[in-house]
Amino acid sequence: ADEAAAHDEL
Amino acid sequence: MNVFRLTGDLSHLAAIIILLLKIWKSRSCAGISGKSQILFAIVFTTRYLDLLTSFISIYNTSMKVIYIGCAYATVYLIYMKFRATYDGNHDSFRVEFLVVPVGGLAVLVNHDFSFLEILWTFSIYLESVAILPQLFMISKTGEAETITTHYLFCLGLYRALYLLNWIWRFYFESFFDMIAIVAGVVQTVLYCDFFYLYITKVLKGKKLSLPA
């Protein structure tokens, strides 16, 4: 799995 | 976007609106921790600075703007408009004991050592503990108004639903964000005692009061 790059969550 | 993420966001929104309406309708912020609300305003401000740098969706942008706007409106109502009703004597949690360690941790443990990323990390860590002044206030006074417990329930439920969202995203999108997950687990665990009281007392029509 990839680590988060862009934060698309709130 | 999945059903857990969407219901989580809506639960979060409901919590924020419930609190604003409670204060507005009763013209009073009695029983509400202004310190927790300031922490949430800081959380949203430091997390949503990316409003200025990146666009994700209309949904994303509008929710961020609403959350930030409501957070500052709540702080304004507590510390300005209905200041006379603010129970500062019982809101005695020392927030520096949260903000300073959380700031240090954000600098040490993050995805990327950049200004915006450290602020995002800081906001995630701070959110996980920002409710502590409110819970401390309730434990000090030994009771909470029922509407305040609805607010707390929605606020706690939001992060619990995000945990399910992260499990979903791990299986179906191979996505995971360890910082958000660990902080989200901490945040949800802090509500467990309250969840128990809410289900065993408030949902059965009793007021939330703690044994002396």
Side-chain angles (χ1 to χ4, degrees), chain B residues 4-5 24 27 33 40 93 102-103 109 116 127-128 154 168 170 172 176 178 185 212:
Chain B
F4 302 115
R5 162 75 200 282
W24 186 257
R27 323 295 289 172
S33 166
F40 284 124
F93 193 95
V102 155
V109 183
L116 276 183
E127 183 190 348
S128 69
C154 289
W168 177 284
F170 180 77
F172 295 106
F176 79 97
M178 196 49 82
V185 169

Side-chain angles (χ1 to χ4, degrees), chain B residues 5-176:
Chain B
R5 162 75 200 282
L6 181 63
T7 47
D9 286 347
L10 293 178
S11 178
H12 197 183
L13 186 63
I16 292 169
I17 304 277
I18 286 171
L19 183 63
L20 263 181
L21 281 180
K22 174 223 156 11
I23 297 174
W24 186 257
K25 295 270 181 188
S26 67
R27 323 295 289 172
S28 163
C29 57
I32 300 300
S33 166
K35 289 183 177 177
S36 275
Q37 296 309 314
I38 287 179
L39 293 182
F40 284 124
I42 296 172
V43 163
F44 290 137
T45 308
T46 50
R47 186 174 310 168
Y48 299 156
L49 280 177
D50 65 354
L51 274 172
L52 307 172
T53 60
S54 58
F55 176 81
I56 293 165
S57 67
I58 299 273
Y59 172 83
N60 191 280
T61 300
S62 21
M63 290 298 257
K64 284 174 174 171
V65 170
I66 293 170
Y67 286 176
I68 293 180
C70 288
Y72 280 96
T74 305
V75 168
Y76 165 77
L77 291 184
I78 295 174
Y79 285 97
M80 310 280 279
K81 192 162 177 65
F82 301 125
R83 187 188 185 91
T85 64
Y86 169 57
D87 192 4
N89 286 335
H90 285 125
D91 195 11
S92 51
F93 193 95
R94 299 279 299 271
V95 288
E96 60 271 33
F97 292 149
L98 295 180
V99 174
V100 173
V102 155
L105 192 61
V107 171
L108 290 174
V109 183
N110 51 59
H111 292 311
D112 177 35
F113 198 82
S114 66
F115 180 68
L116 276 183
E117 189 61 24
I118 288 172
L119 284 183
W120 177 86
T121 312
F122 171 77
S123 84
I124 292 288
Y125 294 153
L126 185 61
E127 183 190 348
S128 69
V129 293
I131 201 60
L132 286 176
Q134 179 65 60
L135 295 176
F136 179 73
M137 193 172 180
I138 290 175
S139 73
K140 230 182 157 196
T141 59
E143 59 178 19
E145 284 180 55
T146 299
I147 187 73
T148 306
T149 67
H150 296 329
Y151 159 71
L152 278 169
F153 180 75
C154 289
L155 198 60
L157 181 64
Y158 134 70
R159 222 45 172 172
L161 287 166
Y162 257 70
L163 294 184
L164 299 177
N165 156 58
W166 290 324
I167 293 170
W168 177 284
R169 294 191 71 177
F170 180 77
Y171 280 106
F172 295 106
E173 299 170 28
S174 296
F175 169 93
F176 79 97

